[in-house]
Amino acid sequence: MLSHWRQYLAISPFFLIFGVFSFFPVFYSLYLAFQRWDGLGTVQYVGLQQFRFLWDDPVFWLSIRNTLVIWVLSTVPTLFGALVLATLLHSVRRFKGFYRIALYIPNVTSIVAVSIFFGAVFSNNFGLVNAILGTVGISPVPWLSNPWLIKLVIALLMTWMWTGYNMIIYLAGLQAIPTQIYEAARLDGAGPIRTFFQITMPILRPIILFTVIISTINGLQSFSEPQVLFGSNAANPNLGGPGQAGLTTLLYFYQSAFVNNDYGYGAAIVWAFFVLIMVLVVVNWRVVQRGRKS
């Protein structure tokens, strides 16, 4: 091993940067979850007091409910739309590369720019959507003030950004299926619908499991969308929009740690949320695996 010290030295900057900016902060945040610290004063050990307060904090549970609703409203149409688009694109003969790039572009677009765009399009008074509705005699819809419509707008934003990403993954899976399988199915008299549900879906099940897990992790970490849409900052008491309808758990963590300077409580929020994400990932994995075995 020592004979390869030059190679280890060459790759050491990555591990040093990873250790300082990723590995160490993760475990330091776990340490802070049991402390009370405002970022400047003395660190005070409080044990499980942060988690006890978290359990009785109604705003924390409100942020959990908001996050779960937005996750469901965005993940289901994202994965369904990605699978439909991948299937359609797989059957396209011409301009396949153009369609692939066009559908993937939203995923590499700045999320801040997209959030600003959606905020303008769904504005209550001057939004493009309400202007179109007004041409057919429909009164303006309070997209950014109604509690459920706020969640719907955030979910639409996330769906628009992540559908292309999942579509590329499904398309790669479809292209990896041997054409001989479909030819044999046609010879046996199987139609397109039966072929899709009895051949394509079972073969794609591991890929679907991967996208479900990734979508669960990404969907539950919504932060920039409500922050930019509703201008969340220290001077804005309605963090997450009117009635805090768009307050997600990570946005609440941001408020606790970097607005209220309560880093210990912010760390407790993050670790409690991490446990929730892991539970949901395991549940999704077991559900998909059970369907695979059956």
Side-chain angles (χ1 to χ4, degrees):
M1 181 180 294
L2 294 177
S3 61
H4 301 288
W5 67 270
R6 293 182 180 84
Q7 288 82 354
Y8 288 113
L9 181 62
I11 64 175
S12 61
F14 167 79
F15 292 99
L16 290 174
I17 295 174
F18 175 80
V20 172
F21 294 102
S22 296
F23 190 78
F24 172 75
V26 167
F27 288 95
Y28 189 68
S29 68
L30 181 60
Y31 164 77
L32 284 181
F34 300 94
Q35 318 292 326
R36 180 180 290 115
W37 187 46
D38 61 0
L40 295 175
T42 304
V43 179
Q44 179 185 359
Y45 176 76
V46 294
L48 296 175
Q49 183 177 338
Q50 305 280 21
F51 293 96
R52 294 193 189 100
F53 182 79
L54 187 72
W55 183 261
D56 297 325
D57 185 3
V59 181
F60 171 73
W61 293 110
L62 172 65
S63 70
I64 291 291
R65 289 194 299 271
N66 291 340
T67 302
L68 292 177
V69 170
I70 293 171
W71 168 62
V72 172
L73 290 177
S74 62
T75 301
V76 174
T78 294
L79 297 182
F80 177 77
L83 186 58
V84 172
L85 289 174
T87 304
L88 294 175
L89 187 57
H90 184 58
S91 61
V92 171
R93 300 300 179 186
R94 302 179 61 185
F95 305 111
K96 182 177 290 189
F98 169 77
Y99 293 128
R100 193 181 309 171
I101 294 173
L103 292 171
Y104 188 74
I105 282 178
N107 185 251
V108 297
T109 305
S110 169
I111 190 172
V112 175
V114 174
S115 300
I116 294 174
F117 174 76
F118 267 70
V121 169
F122 288 95
S123 174
N124 292 343
N125 299 320
F126 307 104
L128 178 61
V129 174
N130 279 338
I132 295 175
L133 294 177
T135 59
V136 294
I138 301 177
S139 58
V141 178
W143 297 104
L144 300 181
S145 57
N146 180 276
W148 278 99
L149 293 179
I150 286 174
K151 298 179 180 63
L152 180 61
V153 171
I154 297 175
L156 286 174
L157 193 161
M158 297 172 64
T159 300
W160 188 81
M161 290 203 64
W162 288 101
T163 299
Y165 170 83
N166 291 283
M167 182 271 299
I168 292 293
I169 296 176
Y170 288 146
L171 181 61
L174 289 172
Q175 292 176 341
I177 300 176
T179 58
Q180 294 84 350
I181 297 178
Y182 292 112
E183 293 174 357
R186 283 194 294 268
L187 291 175
D188 290 339
I193 297 178
R194 184 180 177 185
T195 300
F196 179 78
F197 285 101
Q198 294 190 1
I199 296 178
T200 304
M201 289 295 290
I203 295 177
L204 286 181
R205 193 177 296 275
I207 299 177
I208 294 175
L209 172 62
F210 170 78
T211 57
V212 167
I213 293 176
I214 294 299
S215 297
T216 299
I217 296 174
N218 290 332
L220 291 173
Q221 297 186 66
S222 53
F223 168 75
S224 300
E225 300 89 347
Q227 185 193 34
V228 176
L229 276 174
F230 302 105
S232 302
N233 51 54
N236 183 5
N238 292 323
L239 196 72
Q244 296 184 319
L247 178 66
T248 61
T249 305
L250 288 188
L251 191 56
Y252 186 45
F253 151 74
Y254 165 80
Q255 180 194 41
S256 300
F258 301 106
V259 176
N260 299 334
N261 295 325
D262 192 348
Y263 292 96
Y265 189 58
I269 292 173
V270 166
W271 277 97
F273 191 51
F274 170 77
V275 173
L276 175 63
I277 291 178
M278 290 297 100
V279 170
L280 291 176
V281 167
V282 171
V283 169
N284 286 330
W285 181 79
R286 293 295 298 272
V287 169
V288 177
Q289 284 293 95
R290 182 177 300 176
R292 183 182 181 182
K293 293 179 181 178
S294 62

